[in-house]
Amino acid sequence: MTTTQIILASRPKGLPTLENFKMEDVALPSIRDGEVLLEGMYYSVDPYMRGRMNDAKSYAPPFETGKPLSGGVVAKVIESKSTNFKSGDIITGNLPWQKKMIASEKDIRKIDTTIAPASYYLGILGMTGLTAYFGLMHIGKPKAGETVVVSGAAGAVGMVVGQIAAIQNCYVVGIAGTDEKIKLLKDEFGFDDAINYKTTPDMKKAIAAACPKGVDIYFDNVGGSISDAVISNINFHARIPLCGQISLYNSTEIPMGPRLQPMLLTRSVLMQGFIVSNFQSEFPEGHKQLATWVKECRLKFTETIEHGFEKLPQALLGLFKGDNTGKMIVEV
Ligand SMILES: NC(=O)c1ccc[n+]([C@@H]2O[C@H](COP(=O)([O-])OP(=O)(O)OC[C@H]3O[C@@H](n4cnc5c(N)ncnc54)[C@H](OP(=O)(O)O)[C@@H]3O)[C@@H](O)[C@H]2O)c1
């Protein structure tokens, strides 16, 4: 049997292009005991994948050139030699960018599509939802009445952070890159205010105006000058869950910014970087709480869905242009 896969053809310098990827056919062996044959349904593209395209040591190993990329996938079991899975089961796991793939029963888990659509297990009920939940609740530790600012607010992590902060009775301000996203955050997702960083000339002033009591929690998804502007409005004893730095992922040199440490020091601010897997042992708690809020309609979600396996590279590159609102997904 053959299938189609997308490999890393070359490593990018700066912003990746479609030439860094290649689609090719490959033979699949027969499955062995304890394995299943899967057909991909939904594929996640995520900003961290950009880091894995570099040949650099990080918390996740680099993608190898000439080998398929991989990431979160929701797939259907089409053949099984596992006692835990049968044909027709819908599962999720970290799987290669192939139309069909073989997985060990140890590396996949069944999902409950009666709670939410299957693709939500790549977003609000998957890695990005857990990132929002643990980053905000375990590092940000919101208290009622506090002001929470989140950058990348209309993305998969950001829109969940803002809604969880609202559930905690915080005052929530989002930062995003289009007027449509700003309107959506305020009208549909319960943000108290939102700022379009692309059309706001003085972000420091705009944040001061939107946050009259200062910023108690800054959930940082983007880094760079947006974060400099937020942090210049930071309150005493504020917390900064450092989740992502997407504005810097394609930088070819380290940009200089203001020296923020004196302000963090004198205002007793906690800034803590984290990777969602730090909370692995607590994932069941996160899954349960997120699923409960989704079922109770207290957490809403939206997705940008590209159609067709061949769209995977384009969808990944779209994250760096702000093409997505909510989770970027490729449906096959
Ligand atoms: N620590 C962890 O374990 C963990 C886990 C998941 C994600 N993350 C990080 O969290 C962040 C959000 O991830 P996500 O999956 O939710 O992605 P996402 O927000 O759904 O998609 C990326 C968004 O980033 C914004 N963006 C792109 N380039 C930007 C720039 N130069 N400056 C400001 N904003 C920019 C775009 O929105 P606009 O239209 O608003 O520009 C884009 O839609 C990323 O930095 C990611 O690496 C970390």
Side-chain angles (χ1 to χ4, degrees):
M1 188 196 325
T2 62
T3 192
T4 307
Q5 64 180 13
I6 296 175
I7 61 163
L8 181 66
S10 58
R11 298 200 185 277
K13 288 191 184 67
L15 191 67
T17 66
L18 294 177
E19 280 67 52
N20 296 124
F21 305 86
K22 195 173 152 209
M23 200 151 83
E24 60 179 30
D25 289 337
V26 63
L28 277 184
S30 308
I31 55 170
R32 295 175 302 190
D33 286 346
E35 290 184 337
V36 291
L37 177 65
L38 302 164
E39 186 162 52
M41 297 164 66
Y42 298 100
Y43 296 73
S44 177
V45 290
D46 295 275
Y48 79 88
M49 292 173 171
R50 172 63 188 88
R52 297 192 68 188
M53 293 174 80
N54 295 336
D55 189 13
K57 209 171 162 184
S58 185
Y59 61 91
F63 292 127
E64 286 178 53
T65 48
K67 297 266 175 68
L69 293 90
S70 59
V73 178
V74 166
K76 187 188 267 186
V77 176
I78 51 175
E79 194 190 328
S80 176
K81 283 196 178 171
S82 157
T83 48
N84 301 335
F85 297 92
K86 58 178 189 319
S87 257
D89 282 348
I90 309 292
I91 62 88
T92 186
N94 202 287
L95 297 165
W97 281 13
Q98 293 178 330
K99 285 188 180 173
K100 289 192 179 119
M101 61 289 265
I102 293 169
S104 160
E105 61 187 0
K106 296 192 299 292
D107 297 333
I108 55 173
R109 68 180 176 93
K110 258 183 245 181
I111 58 174
D112 181 356
T113 52
T114 60
I115 299 176
S119 58
Y120 275 35
Y121 287 84
L122 300 177
I124 194 162
L125 298 178
M127 190 270 282
T128 58
L130 291 169
T131 302
Y133 177 77
F134 287 110
L136 182 66
M137 298 304 288
H138 286 222
I139 299 174
K141 298 194 169 98
K143 296 196 257 317
E146 288 191 320
T147 297
V148 177
V149 175
V150 52
S151 52
V157 173
M159 66 169 42
V160 179
V161 169
Q163 292 179 86
I164 297 177
I167 292 173
Q168 307 306 312
N169 295 311
C170 293
Y171 183 81
V172 186
V173 176
I175 301 171
T178 68
D179 287 344
E180 292 72 32
K181 291 182 183 184
I182 298 303
K183 189 168 161 23
L184 191 81
L185 291 175
K186 292 201 281 190
D187 294 354
E188 302 286 333
F189 288 91
F191 283 61
D192 295 291
D193 206 348
I195 304 169
N196 181 346
Y197 72 91
K198 288 194 180 154
T199 55
T200 302
D202 188 338
M203 281 296 286
K204 184 177 168 183
K205 221 161 124 186
I207 291 154
C211 306
K213 294 196 220 158
V215 178
D216 298 301
I217 298 176
Y218 172 45
F219 195 103
D220 187 4
N221 278 319
V222 305
S225 58
I226 294 174
S227 296
D228 297 341
V230 180
I231 294 171
S232 61
N233 285 289
I234 208 84
N235 280 343
F236 280 80
H237 299 291
R239 286 81 68 203
I240 306 176
L242 194 52
C243 175
Q245 298 280 290
I246 194 168
S247 75
L248 307 178
Y249 292 170
N250 294 304
S251 301
T252 47
E253 45 193 67
I254 299 169
M256 268 308 289
R259 307 273 189 199
L260 294 170
Q261 287 91 331
M263 197 185 300
L264 303 183
L265 167 70
T266 55
R267 297 187 193 176
S268 303
V269 174
L270 172 78
M271 181 189 258
Q272 187 180 329
F274 73 99
I275 301 300
V276 64
S277 54
N278 299 158
F279 298 98
Q280 189 111 35
S281 62
E282 291 156 278
F283 279 1
E285 169 208 324
H287 279 132
K288 194 167 158 216
Q289 182 59 81
L290 290 163
T292 302
W293 281 330
V294 168
K295 271 191 280 185
E296 291 172 354
C297 299
R298 297 178 80 190
L299 272 186
K300 293 201 235 171
F301 201 53
T302 187
E303 302 168 314
T304 299
I305 300 192
E306 297 282 353
H307 296 273
F309 180 74
E310 69 288 353
K311 292 282 174 58
L312 270 163
Q314 188 181 312
L316 175 59
L317 304 190
L319 294 171
F320 301 99
K321 296 186 281 168
D323 286 353
N324 61 307
T325 301
K327 183 79 189 89
M328 183 73 110
I329 299 275
V330 174
E331 181 175 12
V332 174

